[in-house]
C-alpha cells in the first residue's frame, strides 16, 4: 500500500541555487517536449511516445550543456509526467497539458537513489543532503520523491513509499454516518452534529487586501514588487495550510468514529460558476475533504460511498419518505405534510444520505470501472486517444 509523507526542507543558499538550476532544466525540457508533441501532431497526425521523448535527452545535452545541472533521472521523469498528463486529458480526468512558467510553483521528482539519513534528506546529483524537519518516521520503500518550492519561497519534500502492506478489505459492519456539506455549517452529520465553517479566506481578507494594495503600487519588474508579491503569496499559503489542517482533523475524526461514511456527490465545478457563492464554495474545500475521507477510510478497511447528486436528500422526509415539491434555500426547517414531523433541513438531508447509502449497500449495487487498453510502459503514444472498454468490477461487500 502506498503512503505519502510531506516535510519541510531547509536548503542552504548553495543548495537553493542548485535546486533552482534543476527546476529550470526540468521546466525547459517539459516545455520543449510539449511543443515538440504539438508540432509533431500537426505535421504527422501522430504523437510521441514516452520512450521517444526520453531519447531526445542525449542530443539535447550536447546542444545545451547546462541541462547536465539537473539529475539525469529527474529529466527522464519529465517524459513520464508528460505522458501521464496526456493520458489524463484523453480520459477526461484533466485539462490539456500546459506550458510551465518560472513564476509559479516549481518541482522536480526523483524516482530512485533518495534516502533519509537522520535529519537530512540525501539527494543524488549536485544538491547533496538537505536538512529535513520530520514530524514522524517514514516506514517503507521509497517509490518517488518530489522536491517543490512554493510561491512563498518555502521548500517541501513529498515522499511516496510502499509499506508492503495489503489494502484491508472494506467492511460495512459498524456505525454508519451520512454527511451533508454546506456553507453556514461546513459539515452536518446524520447523528445531529454540526461543524461550523471556519471561513479561512474571510479571516485573512483584511491582511490579504493590505498586501495586494501594496503590490499594486509597486513598479513592474522592480525588486520591491518581487518582495511584495512574495508577501501576498505567504498570505495565500497561510490560508491554504490552515484549511488543510482543519480538513485533516475533521476527516480523521469522522473516519475514526464510523465504519460506513456516505456523502453526496456534488458537482463543485458547476457550483462555483455562480458568482454569488463561488468564493464561499471554493473556500470550503469540499472536494479535498471528500478525497481525505475516501483514502483514510480505505486505509482503515472502512466503506466510503457517494450518493448521486440528484437524489432529493433535502426534500425527502426521513420518516415517511414523503417528498415536498419545493424547498427554497432560505427555509432551514420544515414540517412534513404527511407525518407532521418537524425537520431540520440539514440533519434531515444527512439522514437521507445515510439511509440511501445503506439501501444501496444492502442491494449489492456496485459501480463499473471503465478501463482502457493497457500497453507497455514507455510505448504509449502521448497523443493517442484511449478507447474505454466497460468491464465489471466485482466488489465483495460484507453487509451487516
Amino acid at each position: 500500500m502506498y503512503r505519502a509523507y510531506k516535510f519541510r526542507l531547509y536548503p542552504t543558499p548553495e543548495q537553493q541555487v542548485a535546486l533552482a538550476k534543476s527546476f529550470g532544466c526540468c521546466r525547459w525540457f517539459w516545455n520543449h517536449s510539449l511543443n515538440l508533441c504539438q508540432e509533431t501532431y500537426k505535421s504527422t497526425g501522430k504523437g510521441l511516445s514516452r520512450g521517444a521523448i526520453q531519447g531526445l535527452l542525449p542530443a539535447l545535452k550536447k546542444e545545451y550543456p547546462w541541462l547536465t545541472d539537473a539529475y539525469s533521472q529527474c529529466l527522464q521523469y519529465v517524459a513520464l509526467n508528460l505522458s501521464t498528463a496526456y493520458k489524463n486529458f484523453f480520459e477526461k480526468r484533466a485539462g490539456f497539458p500546459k506550458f510551465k512558467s518560472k513564476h509559479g510553483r516549481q518541482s522536480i521528482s526523483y524516482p530512485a537513489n533518495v534516502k533519509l539519513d537522520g535529519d537530512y534528506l540525501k539527494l543524488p546529483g549536485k544538491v547533496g543532503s538537505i536538512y529535513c524537519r520530520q514530524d514522524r518516521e517514514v516506514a517503507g520503500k521509497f517509490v518517488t520523491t518530489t522536491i517543490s518550492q512554493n510561491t512563498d519561497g518555502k521548500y517541501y519534500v513529498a515522499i511516496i513509499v510502499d509499506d508492503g502492506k495489503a489494502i484491508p478489505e472494506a467492511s460495512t459492519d459498524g456505525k454508519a454516518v451520512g454527511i451533508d456539506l454546506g456553507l453556514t455549517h461546513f459539515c452536518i452529520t446524520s447523528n445531529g452534529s454540526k461543524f461550523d465553517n471556519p471561513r479561512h479566506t474571510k479571516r485573512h481578507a483584511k491582511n490579504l487586501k493590505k498586501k495586494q494594495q501594496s503590490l499594486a503600487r509597486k513598479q513592474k519588474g522592480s525588486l520591491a514588487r518581487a518582495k511584495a508579491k512574495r508577501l501576498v503569496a505567504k498570505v495565500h499559503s497561510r490560508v491554504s495550510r490552515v484549511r488543510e489542517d482543519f480538513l485533516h482533523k475533521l476527516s480523521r475524526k469522522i473516519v475514526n468514529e464510523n465504519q460506513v461514511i456516505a456523502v453526496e456527490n456534488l458537482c463543485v465545478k458547476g457550483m462555483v460558476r455562480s458568482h454569488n457563492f463561488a468564493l464561499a464554495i471554493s473556500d470550503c474545500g469540499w472536494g479535498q475533504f471528500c478525497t481525505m475521507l475516501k483514502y483514510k477510510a480505505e486505509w482503515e478497511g472502512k466503506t466510503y460511498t457517494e450518493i448521486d447528486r440528484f437524489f432529493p436528500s433535502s426534500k425527502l422526509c426521513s420518516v415517511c419518505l414523503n417528498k415536498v415539491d419545493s424547498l427554497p434555500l432560505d427555509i432551514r426547517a420544515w414540517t412534513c405534510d404527511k407525518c407532521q414531523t418537524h425537520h431540520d433541513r440539514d440533519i434531515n438531508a444527512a439522514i437521507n444520505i445515510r439511509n440511501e447509502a445503506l439501501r444501496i449497500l444492502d442491494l449489492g449495487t456496485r459501480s463499473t470501472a471503465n478501463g482502457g487498453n493497457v500497453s507497455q510502459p514507455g510505448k504509449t503514444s502521448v497523443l493517442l486517444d484511449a478507447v474505454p472498454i466497460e468491464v465489471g468490477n466485482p466488489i465483495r461487500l460484507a453487509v451487516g
Side-chain angles (χ1 to χ4, degrees), residues 25-231:
C25 292
C26 293
R27 183 179 63 248
W28 182 89
F29 184 53
W30 169 281
N31 293 337
H32 177 80
S33 302
L34 179 57
N35 178 70
L36 187 61
C37 285
Q38 294 179 0
E39 295 298 327
T40 304
Y41 181 76
K42 290 179 183 179
S43 59
T44 65
K46 298 181 180 180
L48 297 176
S49 67
R50 171 187 166 191
I53 296 175
Q54 290 178 337
L56 301 172
L57 282 172
L60 289 175
K61 287 183 178 180
K62 293 181 180 179
E63 185 177 359
Y64 306 100
W66 44 265
L67 280 176
T68 57
D69 291 336
Y71 185 56
S72 59
Q73 292 188 10
C74 293
L75 294 172
Q76 294 173 6
Y77 207 84
V78 171
L80 174 62
N81 288 337
L82 182 59
S83 175
T84 303
Y86 267 107
K87 289 179 182 178
N88 292 336
F89 166 70
F90 286 126
E91 294 175 7
K92 298 182 179 180
R93 291 195 299 265
F96 191 79
K98 297 180 180 179
F99 292 97
K100 295 187 177 181
S101 170
K102 66 178 181 180
H103 300 293
R105 177 181 177 273
Q106 308 297 317
S107 67
I108 53 175
S109 296
Y110 294 84
N113 302 326
V114 179
K115 65 178 181 179
L116 284 170
D117 186 10
D119 293 334
Y120 289 85
L121 179 71
K122 191 173 182 180
L123 299 174
K126 301 179 181 180
V127 179
S129 299
I130 305 179
Y131 178 72
C132 176
R133 179 175 292 178
Q134 307 171 45
D135 58 354
R136 49 185 169 161
E137 184 179 355
V138 178
K141 182 180 179 181
F142 281 41
V143 178
T144 304
T145 304
T146 301
I147 310 297
S148 61
Q149 181 189 18
N150 291 347
T151 53
D152 60 353
K154 296 180 180 179
Y155 293 83
Y156 295 91
V157 57
I159 305 173
I160 299 178
V161 301
D162 185 1
D163 58 7
K165 299 178 182 179
I167 298 177
E169 186 176 355
S171 172
T172 57
D173 296 332
K175 185 180 178 182
V177 66
I179 299 175
D180 182 51
L181 301 175
L183 294 178
T184 304
H185 294 91
F186 174 81
C187 173
I188 303 93
T189 64
S190 56
N191 55 20
S193 300
K194 293 186 177 182
F195 299 92
D196 291 335
N197 185 2
R199 304 182 188 275
H200 306 288
T201 302
K202 186 177 181 180
R203 289 186 177 184
H204 296 81
K206 186 177 180 180
N207 185 25
L208 181 61
K209 179 181 178 181
K210 182 180 178 181
K211 298 293 192 301
Q212 288 176 331
Q213 288 176 338
S214 177
L215 173 63
R217 291 192 291 265
K218 300 297 186 291
Q219 183 179 359
K220 291 186 177 181
S222 65
L223 294 178
R225 181 177 176 85
K227 182 178 179 180
K229 187 176 181 180
R230 178 160 293 186
L231 293 177

Side-chain angles (χ1 to χ4, degrees), residues 221-270:
S222 65
L223 294 178
R225 181 177 176 85
K227 182 178 179 180
K229 187 176 181 180
R230 178 160 293 186
L231 293 177
V232 173
K234 285 185 177 182
V235 180
H236 284 294
S237 177
R238 170 70 176 174
V239 174
S240 176
R241 285 185 285 112
V242 296
R243 179 190 299 115
E244 186 176 2
D245 180 71
F246 168 76
L247 297 179
H248 270 300
K249 290 177 179 178
L250 181 57
S251 60
R252 172 50 60 189
K253 174 181 173 62
I254 293 175
V255 171
N256 287 346
E257 295 177 353
N258 301 279
Q259 184 67 28
V260 178
I261 303 168
V263 298
E264 193 173 9
N265 180 19
L266 299 175
C267 181
V268 180
K269 185 177 180 180

Side-chain angles (χ1 to χ4, degrees), residues 323-342:
K323 181 182 176 182
V324 297
D325 297 331
S326 177
L327 195 64
L329 288 175
D330 58 341
I331 298 178
R332 309 313 304 174
W334 57 282
T335 302
C336 177
D337 297 334
K338 293 290 182 65
C339 63
Q340 302 302 315
T341 304
H342 188 71

Side-chain angles (χ1 to χ4, degrees), residues 181 186 243 247 251 263-269 271-272 281-295 304 306:
L181 301 175
F186 174 81
R243 179 190 299 115
L247 297 179
S251 60
V263 298
E264 193 173 9
N265 180 19
L266 299 175
C267 181
V268 180
K269 185 177 180 180
M271 296 172 69
V272 295
I281 293 174
S282 300
D283 186 37
C284 286
W286 290 337
Q288 188 178 12
F289 177 66
C290 292
T291 300
M292 291 179 180
L293 287 175
K294 185 175 182 179
Y295 74 74
Y304 170 87
E306 293 184 353

